[in-house]
Amino acid sequence: MKVLITGGTGYIGSHTVVEFQQAGYEVIIVDNLENSQPDVVDHIEKISGIRPHFEIADLRDKQALISVFEMYPDIKHVVHFAAYKAVGESVQHPLKYYENNIGGTINLLEMLQYHHINNFVFSSSCTVYGEVNNLPVTEETPSVKAMSPYGNTKKICEELLMDQCNASNLRVVSLRYFNPVGAHDSALIGELPVGVPNNLAPFITQTAIGKRLSLTVHGNDYPTPDGTCIRDYIHVVDLAKAHVKAIQYLQNKNHTQNYSVFNIGTGKGNSVLEVIHAFEKVSGVKLNYKIGSRREGDVVQIYASCDKATNILGWKAERSLENCMESAWKWEKHLNDVMIR
Ligand code: UD1
């Protein structure tokens, strides 16, 4: 029951490590710590009572990967998060994104092939759908030309995984995440954005705590009920649990396809203003926000149909938007306390 989790000290990765441990798996984390902190491993141990194995390695470094797989010869499953994820940066530095996100995935797949490891879960994104006409979006919706090199790396990786499934015994589940938010209830792990956050949730909590002066709502003239964009905000713990379900699905060998994709969201869309109001309600903090102009590249609205994940994986999001905001706020306050101390 050994599972290797690349990017396991990152935001989604760390929550996923905890869920696998709680489901009885032995976890090996591989992370290069470029975008995360080593003490995340201590915090995982505090939550689960079990220290995961932890190897610092970069997926671009084949020799390092070879060593990891030699060190743990009985890995049965791999969950792959390690990748760059900043949309804007990917536009500035496309080669960096293609090299790391695609190159790293290829190196990892070579290891799987060599060691006959067949179960693989890939961290994909709803960004592959672009702007859609029919909502909620199902997995049958064709993917479109990616809006950024980051998005394109997700699309290309899905395609290369499909090809590798056709050519080998590899079995893959790609999970297309909608908008992950929130933090673990313990407030011991959560999102640690580097620099000024681009995403809405950390910007809200950083503004509320006083780290940012004000939040700008990127446009209120969209064709939506309150004029602001609509997304499907999914609690990171719910999202983490989907990975365990995906591995269990691959393990029980009843699946008919070697490659499958699942949307992982709540099935409900919320506007930017609804998110702000949910935050204000649970935190009791009046948020300093203003309406600004539209942000380039934003789709108007997208939310998931998660019926496929419910019917096939037996997974369903359980947490509310309020719970997402509550846990994100608890985490932000915890970070603030740690900084003051
Ligand atoms: C973004 C990425 C997506 C990635 C996801 C990861 C883009 C175009 N897409 O999604 O590929 O998978 O993050 O979480 O960057 N907003 C504000 N003010 C802010 C920040 C955001 O109004 O300061 C609004 C945005 O305009 C958007 C919504 O909040 O309508 C959500 O934005 P964000 O959290 O950045 O996520 P996405 O853009 O949906």
Side-chain angles (χ1 to χ4, degrees):
M1 292 278 273
K2 277 203 179 120
V3 57
L4 179 109
I5 303 189
T6 76
T9 51
Y11 172 43
I12 305 172
S14 56
H15 290 82
T16 303
V17 170
V18 169
E19 293 306 319
F20 270 100
Q21 290 180 319
Q22 289 175 343
Y25 291 80
E26 186 174 336
V27 177
I28 300 131
I29 296 176
V30 171
D31 203 302
N32 69 358
L33 295 178
E34 194 178 331
N35 212 0
S36 58
Q37 300 298 323
D39 61 2
V40 169
V41 179
D42 304 329
H43 300 156
I44 289 171
E45 185 181 3
K46 258 189 207 152
I47 296 170
S48 66
I50 308 159
R51 191 164 186 85
H53 304 278
F54 176 43
E55 304 301 332
I56 301 175
D58 192 307
L59 301 190
R60 287 164 293 192
D61 180 349
K62 277 196 186 191
Q63 206 48 53
L65 267 187
I66 289 170
S67 304
V68 169
F69 279 83
E70 274 172 2
M71 220 182 300
Y72 302 96
D74 45 358
I75 292 166
K76 291 280 178 285
H77 321 287
V78 174
V79 180
H80 177 36
F81 294 102
Y84 292 143
K85 60 173 186 179
V87 176
E89 186 194 41
S90 79
V91 177
Q92 305 295 321
H93 303 288
L95 297 183
K96 179 177 166 180
Y97 274 67
Y98 287 112
E99 190 215 9
N100 187 37
N101 294 8
I102 298 172
T105 303
I106 292 172
N107 288 346
L108 189 60
L109 290 176
E110 282 175 357
M111 288 297 115
L112 268 80
Q113 182 156 290
Y114 186 79
H115 291 277
H116 308 289
I117 300 166
N118 291 326
N119 295 341
F120 189 83
V121 173
F122 178 63
S123 154
S124 190
S125 166
C126 71
T127 191
V128 300
Y129 296 122
E131 182 87 66
V132 290
N133 295 322
N134 296 324
L135 288 167
V137 62
T138 70
E139 292 82 354
E140 269 68 59
T141 308
S143 49
V144 294
K145 187 180 172 345
M147 312 245 278
S148 68
Y150 156 76
N152 208 24
T153 64
K154 293 294 175 193
K155 203 171 160 221
I156 293 170
C157 281
E158 281 205 19
E159 284 164 2
L160 79 84
L161 286 166
M162 215 182 302
D163 290 342
Q164 184 64 1
C165 284
N166 285 332
S168 68
N169 291 327
L170 185 68
R171 298 182 291 256
V172 174
V173 165
S174 285
L175 298 179
R176 291 179 177 162
Y177 312 153
F178 281 65
N179 288 57
V181 289
H184 197 266
D185 291 331
S186 63
L188 286 167
I189 52 174
E191 193 171 6
L192 272 173
V194 180
V196 182
N198 290 314
N199 295 121
L200 181 61
F203 213 107
I204 288 178
T205 55
Q206 289 194 6
T207 305
I209 207 94
K211 247 173 145 175
R212 312 271 155 221
L213 217 53
S214 75
L215 167 82
T216 302
V217 174
H218 297 315
N220 69 346
D221 57 352
Y222 285 100
T224 61
D226 66 20
T228 64
C229 290
I230 291 174
R231 298 285 183 275
D232 186 336
Y233 295 92
I234 164 109
H235 196 292
V236 66
V237 172
D238 276 337
L239 175 59
K241 288 179 197 284
H243 297 77
V244 180
K245 292 285 189 185
I247 286 293
Q248 287 168 344
Y249 163 75
L250 292 172
Q251 270 180 288
N252 79 25
K253 298 201 172 74
N254 287 333
H255 46 278
T256 48
Q257 289 172 323
N258 279 354
Y259 181 80
S260 36
V261 300
F262 294 93
N263 286 342
I264 303 296
T266 64
K268 192 174 179 306
N270 285 106
S271 72
V272 177
L273 289 178
E274 282 172 339
V275 177
I276 290 173
H277 295 145
F279 174 82
E280 290 184 328
K281 185 175 148 202
V282 297
S283 68
V285 177
K286 189 94 194 70
L287 206 65
N288 183 21
Y289 72 89
K290 57 180 192 291
I291 306 295
S293 52
R294 292 182 176 195
R295 181 174 74 174
E296 205 185 325
D298 268 341
V299 300
V300 181
Q301 57 174 331
I302 187 160
Y303 51 92
S305 160
C306 302
D307 293 351
K308 189 177 171 193
T310 305
N311 295 336
I312 297 178
L313 299 182
W315 172 90
K316 203 174 185 314
E318 284 166 357
R319 296 175 183 236
S320 64
L321 181 63
E322 277 76 18
N323 186 256
C324 288
M325 290 298 116
E326 208 171 1
S327 62
W329 181 227
K330 192 173 167 195
W331 167 243
E332 188 68 61
K333 286 191 292 189
H334 166 78
L335 287 179
N336 197 50
D337 289 349
V338 172
M339 259 166 42
I340 289 167
R341 252 186 262 138

